[in-house]
């Protein structure tokens, strides 16, 4: 129990961060309209950012649904980080 209390932030980031690679890969495949695994290693970000905060495929319901989910996931990740930074300075 002592290990968990000392490493709670590490455990939270690890558990929440595990599916990040899968979600990002799936989102990039939708945005760039490809099934190639090479999209995961290419450093092309502009269209991905536009797709995350904009609506580049307004007629694609799957894109909009997954974009909203992925944005929610990233916001929770950001909130976890902000809370970690805030509490790390207080302790």
């Amino acid at each position: 129990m002592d290990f968990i209390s000392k490493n709670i932030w590490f455990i939270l980031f690890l558990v929440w961060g595990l599916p990040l690679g899968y979600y990002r890969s799936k989102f990039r495949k939708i945005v760039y309209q490809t099934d190639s695994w090479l999209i995961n290693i290419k450093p092309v970000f502009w269209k991905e950012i536009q797709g995350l905060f904009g609506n580049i495929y307004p007629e694609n319901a799957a894109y909009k649904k997954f974009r909203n989910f992925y944005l929610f996931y990233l916001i929770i990740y950001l909130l976890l980080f902000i809370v970690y930074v805030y509490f790390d300075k207080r302790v």
Side-chain angles (χ1 to χ4, degrees):
M1 192 65 172
D2 189 41
F3 174 79
I4 293 174
S5 64
K6 286 183 178 181
N7 298 305
I8 190 68
W9 288 110
F10 174 73
I11 294 168
L12 283 173
F13 279 113
L14 184 68
V15 168
W16 193 255
L18 282 175
L20 180 62
Y22 173 76
Y23 294 151
R24 183 166 186 252
S25 171
K26 186 174 178 180
F27 183 71
R28 290 186 96 184
K29 286 178 181 179
I30 292 171
V31 167
Y32 295 105
Q33 296 181 340
T34 183
D35 283 332
S36 174
W37 65 272
L38 291 173
I39 196 65
N40 297 320
I41 59 173
K42 289 185 178 180
V44 285
F45 300 112
W46 181 243
K47 192 171 182 182
E48 185 178 357
I49 297 297
Q50 286 177 326
L52 188 60
F53 295 111
N55 192 5
I56 58 176
Y57 302 121
E59 69 284 343
N60 189 342
Y63 155 73
K64 289 193 282 188
K65 183 178 179 183
F66 194 76
R67 179 200 60 199
N68 293 338
F69 169 77
Y70 187 53
L71 196 55
F72 170 77
Y73 178 85
L74 291 176
I75 288 170
I76 298 298
Y77 209 87
L78 179 65
L79 288 175
L80 270 175
F81 181 73
I82 290 170
V83 170
Y84 165 73
V85 168
Y86 177 75
F87 281 114
D88 190 44
K89 290 182 179 181
R90 296 190 70 185
V91 173

